Amino acid sequence: MAGTTNGGGEAKPATAARIYDYYLGGTYNFPADREAAEKMMQVLPLGPKLAQTNRAFLRRAVRHLAESGVRQFLDIGSGIPTEGNVHEIVQQVAPDARVVYVDLDPVAVAESLELLDGNAHADAIRGDLRDPQSILSHPQVRALIDFDRPVALILAAVLHFVPDDEVAYDAVGTLRAALAPGSYLVMSHATADEGERPQDDLDVAHEIYRQRTATPLGLRSRSRLERFFAGLDLVEPGLVWLPQWRPTPDDPQYFTADPKQSSGLAAVGRVP
Ligand SMILES: C[S@@+](CC[C@H](N)C(=O)[O-])C[C@H]1O[C@@H](n2cnc3c(N)ncnc32)[C@H](O)[C@@H]1O
């Protein structure tokens, strides 16, 4: 169901999932998504490169965890399937690895389900990170994920769509409380420590998501991100700029010279 050919797509409001799909060169986006993405690119021309750099971090992190023996992955805010999806990477390492994708956007869920057709070890559900209990108790989640064993909880480029700190810390706290020792939290997050980007550009970016989508944007500083990992053992190299997390020569090299320009911090923490 490419956005360009979907009959109902003309009237659909933009969503974060489909703006991101457009950045990644995908086809599951509609006119409103493309318009919002183009507006974003006027103030953040690096948008598509940021998206690719974030995806590359996600691929490295889940491959690392699969190679470390993790066999269960709960990916919340998973987005529209694109190249190198979590189940493809981890099931290359361990064909029986289990993956559940969760997203707010029904298009992301529908496309994930289509891609997963016939994959007995992976599933996708519609769910809201702001209501973590309903994700944890969802029968399709329970059918694949055994919370008595280690789980990799993936929150990649999603928490900046939950701008309210109280809601975000609460949601991550509830999810973390369900994880057995030896589980992991994988996170990437757009950041804007003071002075890193012109405030006018940030104001425009906030305005675009606030006016055009149901998920306003809320960037967080390094210290606010560290709070999500309190009590976890950070996997080396800790909380770093996206391209600095265990880089490989196969990754996009857009920000190698100046990693801060990636505007995203990432970390993987282990539940002791
Ligand atoms: C930028 S995309 C990231 C996709 C993928 N995790 C990645 O890193 O490539 C953000 C995704 O989060 C989803 N999202 C935003 N708010 C959410 C919420 N409250 N609950 C679940 N998903 C949410 C959006 O629909 C979108 O698919």
Side-chain angles (χ1 to χ4, degrees):
M1 185 199 64
T4 42
T5 56
N6 180 284
E10 298 303 311
K12 278 188 192 293
T15 72
R18 299 194 298 258
I19 293 173
Y20 186 72
D21 177 66
Y22 181 73
Y23 279 165
L24 288 172
T27 54
Y28 301 110
N29 48 74
F30 301 116
D33 306 305
R34 296 192 277 275
E35 205 187 297
E38 291 291 343
K39 279 238 173 266
M40 278 294 285
M41 279 156 69
Q42 285 169 14
V43 290
L44 251 186
L46 294 175
K49 292 180 177 165
L50 304 181
Q52 289 172 41
T53 303
N54 174 64
R55 280 305 293 190
F57 156 72
L58 176 60
R59 287 196 297 267
R60 295 195 300 279
V62 297
R63 185 172 297 116
H64 172 77
L65 294 183
E67 287 171 353
S68 307
V70 178
R71 293 290 175 265
Q72 309 190 93
F73 295 80
L74 179 60
D75 184 357
I76 304 180
S78 48
I80 290 166
T82 181
E83 213 186 295
N85 296 294
V86 170
H87 72 284
E88 291 160 345
I89 291 166
V90 303
Q91 290 181 350
Q92 262 169 22
V93 179
D96 62 342
R98 288 157 180 248
V99 180
V100 180
Y101 294 113
V102 183
D103 204 282
L104 197 56
D105 187 332
V107 171
V109 180
E111 294 308 326
S112 300
L113 285 171
E114 193 170 312
L115 182 72
L116 294 174
D117 193 24
N119 191 323
H121 297 305
D123 206 350
I125 62 161
R126 188 162 185 216
D128 189 336
L129 174 56
R130 294 164 296 185
D131 182 7
Q133 205 54 58
S134 70
I135 297 174
L136 292 171
S137 59
H138 196 288
Q140 283 164 259
V141 173
R142 292 275 158 187
L144 282 180
I145 306 278
D146 173 1
F147 285 95
D148 291 331
R149 294 175 40 235
V151 175
L153 168 65
I154 303 167
L155 300 173
V158 60
L159 272 163
H160 47 240
F161 296 113
V162 183
D164 185 313
D165 269 352
E166 202 176 322
V167 176
Y169 291 126
D170 223 57
V172 176
T174 301
L175 292 164
R176 275 185 49 177
L179 301 178
S183 295
Y184 289 87
L185 170 62
V186 176
M187 184 185 294
S188 61
H189 198 297
T191 188
D193 277 326
E194 226 169 287
E196 271 166 21
R197 297 244 166 239
Q199 189 55 43
D200 285 356
D201 289 357
L202 291 178
D203 288 347
V204 174
H206 282 116
E207 210 46 27
I208 291 169
Y209 277 90
R210 197 178 60 74
Q211 286 184 351
R212 294 168 184 252
T213 75
T215 50
L217 196 58
L219 310 189
R220 290 189 170 86
S221 63
R222 172 181 289 273
S223 59
R224 284 164 73 203
L225 293 181
E226 280 165 352
R227 272 186 62 188
F228 289 112
F229 289 91
L232 301 186
D233 300 328
L234 283 184
V235 172
E236 284 296 320
L239 179 65
V240 292
W241 296 106
L242 288 166
Q244 293 176 319
W245 201 92
R246 297 178 180 246
T248 75
D250 301 335
D251 297 321
Q253 305 292 329
Y254 306 124
F255 303 106
T256 311
D258 188 3
K260 199 166 81 162
Q261 287 297 316
S262 70
S263 307
L265 287 167
V268 177
R270 184 176 186 276
V271 178

